[in-house]
Amino acid sequence: MFKTRITELFGVEHPVLQGGMQRVSTAELVSAVANAGAMGFLTALTQPTPEALAQEIVRTQAMTNKPFGVNLTILPTLTPPPYAEYAQVIIDSGVKFVETAGRSPEPFMAAFKAAGIKVVHKCTSVRHALKAQEVGCDAVIIDGFEAAGHPGEDDIPSLVLVPSTVDALSIPVVACGGFSDARGLVAALAMGAEGMSMGTRFLCTVEAPVHQNLKDKLVASSERDTQLIFRKFRNTARVHRNAVAEEVARIEQREGSEFSDVAELVAGKRGAIVLETGDMEQGIWWAGMSQGLVHDIPTVDELVKRIVSEATEIVRGRLAGLTIA
């Protein structure tokens, strides 16, 4: 087992995290990750109400006695969800770990700290990671440009962004973006990170609550099969390349186009249909470049064990056996 500041922070066996994924990080997946000795996060906003989140936490607690957390993604919207109520549910539930993303978690830090909750914030730049450390976060997850979802506007890949963040911070750093196997874990540790966080790789597991067609598509796809959208609107997102994503990109290239011109195509309800029915061209769905390293659909336990055992072999075998002149 690899013991790092992250395994100590969360009280888990392995420095492997399953980041919060909208509509995917439910009790079935998160409990499987926890039972495998890794760290998983439910997504608060997957649940339609704070009361539903409370029920999902109870379901997860019934499926594992190991540590897990809740992701609270804070985004600017015209009608924001009741973030404070979701945060209070997390506090009242007894969950001791929160992954925040989007805007700064500063408004919630005092309440989380008072409840003894450890907060890890997902960032896409060194400057944002420094701010997370300043407001009291216990660790950061740094998202390289390869990542699914919103990788920021700086276009800095993990090979540069991870060590740059490690150099700048004193709190633990978790590498994210392009990581999906044992080689990624060893690379993350070599760059000074305390572990790695994966989304796309966990999406392609038996327990992930998405249609089999999506998992099969991930296995069949290469690292080139993603599409950047929303660049024009300074809210860059990386999704799987399909007809809808390509149409969104084409509309963005039109002079004078606005977000309203693509809003219907990227609606969350259409993405939900993809996950539920397996109609892969119905809407956009998140996938990172690491899909090119996804070649099978294991159980979560099989995946975590494989990553740790192969990482151990890399360190003890290939790296230890290198000749240093």
Side-chain angles (χ1 to χ4, degrees):
M1 293 188 293
F2 294 86
K3 294 294 184 182
T4 72
R5 286 195 289 168
I6 278 295
T7 61
E8 293 175 355
L9 178 69
F10 292 131
V12 296
E13 297 172 57
H14 310 303
V16 176
L17 279 64
Q18 165 256 305
M21 294 176 281
Q22 184 71 0
R23 298 190 179 88
V24 178
S25 298
T26 59
E28 287 75 16
L29 178 60
V30 173
S31 64
V33 172
N35 288 331
M39 185 66 189
F41 292 92
L42 296 170
T43 40
L45 300 186
T46 290
Q47 305 305 320
T49 64
E51 293 76 18
L53 173 61
Q55 295 170 7
E56 192 70 4
I57 291 173
V58 170
R59 279 212 316 131
T60 310
Q61 290 168 333
M63 297 166 75
T64 184
N65 60 4
K66 294 187 176 182
F68 68 91
V70 177
N71 167 286
L72 184 62
T73 298
I74 308 158
L75 297 174
T77 60
L78 292 176
T79 55
Y83 290 119
E85 294 179 30
Y86 279 102
Q88 190 61 49
V89 164
I90 296 169
I91 292 169
D92 294 341
S93 73
V95 168
K96 294 301 180 184
F97 307 102
V98 167
E99 176 192 64
T100 55
R103 288 186 166 178
S104 172
E106 186 172 10
F108 307 100
M109 290 301 294
F112 284 150
K113 290 296 183 179
I117 292 173
K118 303 295 185 183
V119 179
V120 52
H121 186 59
K122 184 174 285 188
C123 314
T124 60
S125 69
V126 175
R127 64 187 181 278
H128 293 149
L130 283 167
K131 180 62 176 179
Q133 177 174 270
E134 180 184 325
V135 303
C137 291
D138 299 279
V140 299
I141 300 169
I142 193 73
D143 255 6
F145 187 55
E146 303 92 330
H150 296 279
E153 306 303 316
D154 297 334
D155 299 3
I156 309 299
S158 293
L159 192 61
V160 173
L161 187 57
V162 173
S164 296
T165 307
V166 169
D167 288 347
L169 271 62
S170 60
I171 60 176
V173 174
V174 176
C176 185
F179 298 90
S180 68
D181 60 17
R183 294 167 296 182
L185 176 57
V186 174
L189 297 175
M191 288 188 286
E194 305 289 340
M196 69 175 182
S197 179
M198 307 187 301
T200 302
R201 176 65 269 200
F202 278 119
L203 185 61
C204 198
T205 57
V206 171
E207 292 89 346
V210 299
H211 197 279
Q212 184 67 31
N213 288 356
L214 188 148
K215 301 177 187 183
D216 293 339
K217 179 65 74 172
L218 281 174
V219 171
S221 297
S222 78
E223 67 280 2
R224 298 179 67 247
D225 294 321
T226 69
Q227 176 73 52
L228 292 175
I229 58 175
F230 305 160
R231 301 231 79 179
K232 184 174 187 176
F233 314 121
R234 301 290 295 172
N235 190 28
T236 300
R238 186 180 299 282
V239 299
H240 183 83
R241 185 191 301 276
N242 64 4
V244 178
E246 290 177 335
E247 176 64 15
V248 171
R250 282 193 294 270
I251 293 173
E252 287 185 47
Q253 291 173 5
R254 297 176 188 166
E255 184 177 353
S257 61
E258 300 178 354
F259 182 78
S260 58
D261 296 320
V262 301
E264 193 278 330
L265 290 171
V266 301
K269 61 184 179 182
R270 291 185 60 157
I273 292 173
V274 173
L275 302 186
E276 294 167 6
T277 70
D279 180 352
M280 304 311 299
E281 300 297 327
Q282 178 61 225
I284 61 168
W285 53 282
W286 311 107
M289 288 182 174
S290 64
Q291 67 181 7
L293 299 173
V294 173
H295 305 303
D296 63 354
I297 310 170
T299 66
V300 166
D301 188 63
E302 289 168 344
L303 175 63
V304 172
K305 285 179 177 176
R306 179 201 304 169
I307 288 172
V308 174
S309 64
E310 291 183 359
T312 301
E313 177 55 32
I314 291 171
V315 173
R316 291 179 176 171
R318 183 173 186 275
L319 296 185
L322 291 176
T323 300
I324 302 176

